[in-house]
Amino acid sequence: MKILDWYIIKKYLATFSVMLLLFVPIGIMVDISENIDKMLASKAPAGAIVVYYINFVIYFANLLFPIFLFLSVIWFTSKMANDTEIIAILSSGVSYLRFLRPFLVAASIVAITAFVMGMFIVPNASKGFNEFRFEYIKKNRKKVRDNTEIYKQVSDNDFVYLKGFNFEQKNGSYFTLEHFEDNVLQYKIQARSLKYNEDDSTYTLRGFKKRHIGAMNDSIITQRRFDTIFPFEVEDLTPVTYMAETLNYKELDKFIVKERLAGSPNVSKHLLVKYKRWSLPITAFILTIIAVAVSSMKRRGGMGINLAFGISIAFIYIFFDKIFGTMAEKSGFSPMMAVWVPNIVFGVLALYLLYNARR
C-alpha cells in the first residue's frame, strides 16, 4: 500500500500546485490590465511593482486556497475514477477509509503549510499589498480609517476623545484627554486642535486648557499653544481597518487586547481574522473529504458532472462564509461562531457524503 499512498499523495500535491500555477498568473494579468495605467500615472517604481506582485501572489493564493484545494482534489480523483483506478483499488480488498488515508496525509501537509503561512508570512504580504494599492493605485482615496468621533482608552488611566482626525495631515479637532486614578478623574485636557509633529514626536495643542480636579476646588491652566508628549501613537488613534490582516500571530493578539481596551468598534472584525487563521487547516480536511466522496465514483457525465457539483459546493461555502462574516462585523453575532458554523455545516455534509460513498 505504500506505493499507492505515495501515488495519491503525489497526485494530490502536484494537482494542487498546478492549479495554483495556472490561476495565479491569470489573476496577475487581470490586475495588470486593470491597474497598469494608474501605476504609470503614479510613477510607481519597477522594484515596488515587482514586490507588489510577489505579495499579490501570496495574498490571493492564501485567500483562494480552499477553492483551489477543493477543485484540484475533485479533478484528479474524478480522473482516477474515470480511468477505473479507484474501482481496481477497492476491488483488491482495500477499505474506503484506508483509500481515504493518503488524501488526509496530503491534506495535512497542505494544511500545515497554509497555517504557517497564514500566521507569519501572509500578514507581511497583506501589508505590502494594501500599502502599495493605497499609495499608487488608489492614490486619491484615503486609507479606510475610523477618523470621526474617536473615543479610546489609550492607557490604563487615560481616555481620549477627538471629533475628527486627518491621518495624512496628522491633525485633529476638539481634542479631550481625561486622566483617572483609582476610577477618580484627576485632570482633564482640552484643545481646539491637535497636531502631531513627526520631527520630535510631540503634539501641539491650540486653545489649550487643563483642569486639575481638586477636593474643594479646581485649578485651570490655559494657553494659546502648548507642546507636549502623550502616551499614544498617531496610529493608535485611527488604525487602518485592515490592520489585523497585516499582523502575525503574537502581534494580532496584542493588537486585539489593545483595541478591546480602547473600545474600538472593530474588535469583532479583528477576531474574525484571528479565528479564520485557526480554522483554515480544518477547512482543508473537510473540503478534501467532500471532494473525494463526490468524485470517487465513475459517473455517466464524466468529470464535468463532478466539477459542476464541486463548483456549486464551493460557491455555497463562500456564500456561507461571507454571510456569517458580515453578521459578525455588523451585528452582535459571535466572531468565533461566524467562523466555525460554515465548517460545522460542511463537516456534517462531509460525513454524510462519506457515509454514502462507503456504501
Side-chain angles (χ1 to χ4, degrees):
M1 286 297 295
K2 288 185 178 180
I3 296 175
L4 178 61
D5 291 343
W6 279 112
Y7 174 74
I8 292 175
I9 290 170
K10 289 177 182 177
K11 280 266 189 181
Y12 186 115
L13 298 178
T15 309
F16 177 59
S17 301
V18 169
M19 188 75 71
L20 286 176
L21 291 174
L22 284 175
F23 280 94
V24 168
I26 293 173
I28 292 175
M29 294 305 297
V30 170
D31 189 79
I32 290 175
S33 66
E34 289 182 351
N35 298 313
I36 187 64
D37 293 340
K38 298 174 184 176
M39 293 180 189
L40 293 174
S42 300
K43 297 181 180 179
I49 294 174
V50 171
V51 173
Y52 165 71
Y53 279 109
I54 292 173
N55 292 327
F56 177 93
V57 169
I58 296 171
Y59 180 80
F60 276 98
N62 179 76
L63 186 67
L64 300 176
F65 146 76
I67 307 305
F68 289 151
L69 178 71
F70 189 54
L71 294 179
S72 62
V73 176
I74 285 181
W75 175 271
F76 87 83
T77 308
S78 297
K79 192 172 186 308
M80 288 179 66
N82 284 345
D83 294 340
T84 66
E85 292 178 286
I86 296 177
I87 294 175
I89 292 169
L90 298 178
S91 299
S92 66
V94 176
S95 69
Y96 196 88
L97 291 179
R98 179 63 184 85
F99 163 70
L100 185 64
R101 191 169 76 177
F103 287 91
L104 298 180
V105 171
S108 299
I109 296 171
V110 174
I112 292 170
T113 303
F115 178 77
V116 173
M117 289 190 64
M119 288 294 185
F120 302 104
I121 299 174
V122 174
N124 287 331
S126 177
K127 182 179 181 180
F129 170 80
N130 282 292
E131 287 184 349
F132 181 92
R133 291 185 71 84
F134 280 108
E135 185 171 356
Y136 297 110
I137 297 176
K138 299 179 179 180
K139 196 170 182 180
N140 295 326
R141 301 183 190 178
K142 295 180 180 180
K143 291 186 178 181
V144 183
R145 295 177 181 271
D146 297 317
N147 53 12
T148 58
E149 301 296 338
I150 301 165
Y151 183 77
K152 289 195 170 187
Q153 181 175 356
V154 293
S155 70
D156 292 340
N157 300 316
D158 297 310
F159 294 81
V160 165
Y161 169 78
L162 277 158
K163 185 173 181 62
F165 189 83
N166 187 313
F167 186 83
E168 283 69 29
Q169 297 179 11
K170 303 292 188 295
N171 60 36
S173 58
Y174 297 99
F175 170 78
T176 300
L177 182 144
E178 297 177 338
H179 179 83
F180 290 83
E181 291 182 9
D182 297 325
N183 294 323
V184 177
L185 180 64
Q186 298 296 311
Y187 62 82
K188 182 176 183 178
I189 295 174
Q190 292 177 293
R192 185 177 64 256
S193 67
L194 171 85
K195 173 71 174 177
Y196 177 69
N197 305 304
E198 296 185 77
D199 295 337
D200 54 5
S201 300
T202 61
Y203 293 86
T204 297
L205 304 177
R206 297 188 181 277
F208 171 82
K209 181 170 72 173
K210 184 174 183 179
R211 179 189 294 269
H212 283 275
I213 311 300
M216 301 299 294
N217 53 25
D218 299 347
S219 63
I220 299 176
I221 302 172
T222 60
Q223 290 183 217
R224 293 181 60 187
R225 169 177 172 157
F226 185 75
D227 294 331
T228 186
I229 298 173
F230 286 124
F232 56 83
E233 302 291 337
V234 175
E235 192 72 40
D236 296 336
L237 295 176
T238 58
V240 290
T241 54
Y242 61 79
M243 177 64 73
E245 297 178 12
T246 69
L247 303 174
N248 64 36
Y249 169 66
K250 291 183 179 179
E251 292 171 341
L252 181 56
D253 274 346
K254 292 178 181 177
F255 178 68
I256 290 173
V257 170
K258 198 173 184 179
E259 286 287 279
R260 186 179 276 119
L261 287 173
S264 171
N266 292 321
V267 172
S268 292
K269 186 182 293 185
H270 305 328
L271 288 171
L272 203 62
V273 173
K274 176 183 176 179
Y275 296 141
K276 278 187 176 181
R277 292 183 185 179
W278 285 101
S279 71
L280 200 59
I282 306 300
T283 303
F285 290 105
I286 293 172
L287 294 180
T288 295
I289 293 172
I290 293 175
V292 175
V294 301
S295 58
S296 58
M297 290 184 292
K298 190 173 183 178
R299 302 179 189 275
R300 182 175 297 177
M303 296 173 61
I305 297 295
N306 289 337
L307 285 173
F309 184 79
I311 291 171
S312 300
I313 291 291
F315 276 110
I316 293 172
Y317 175 81
I318 293 171
F319 176 77
F320 266 73
D321 185 61
K322 293 297 182 184
I323 287 294
F324 283 98
T326 302
M327 286 172 60
E329 291 179 13
K330 305 297 183 182
S331 67
F333 194 75
S334 166
M336 181 174 286
M337 290 298 294
V339 169
W340 286 105
V341 165
N343 279 336
I344 292 170
V345 171
F346 279 81
V348 172
L349 175 63
L351 293 175
Y352 172 76
L353 293 173
L354 180 60
Y355 175 75
N356 284 318
R358 287 177 62 189
R359 294 177 59 187

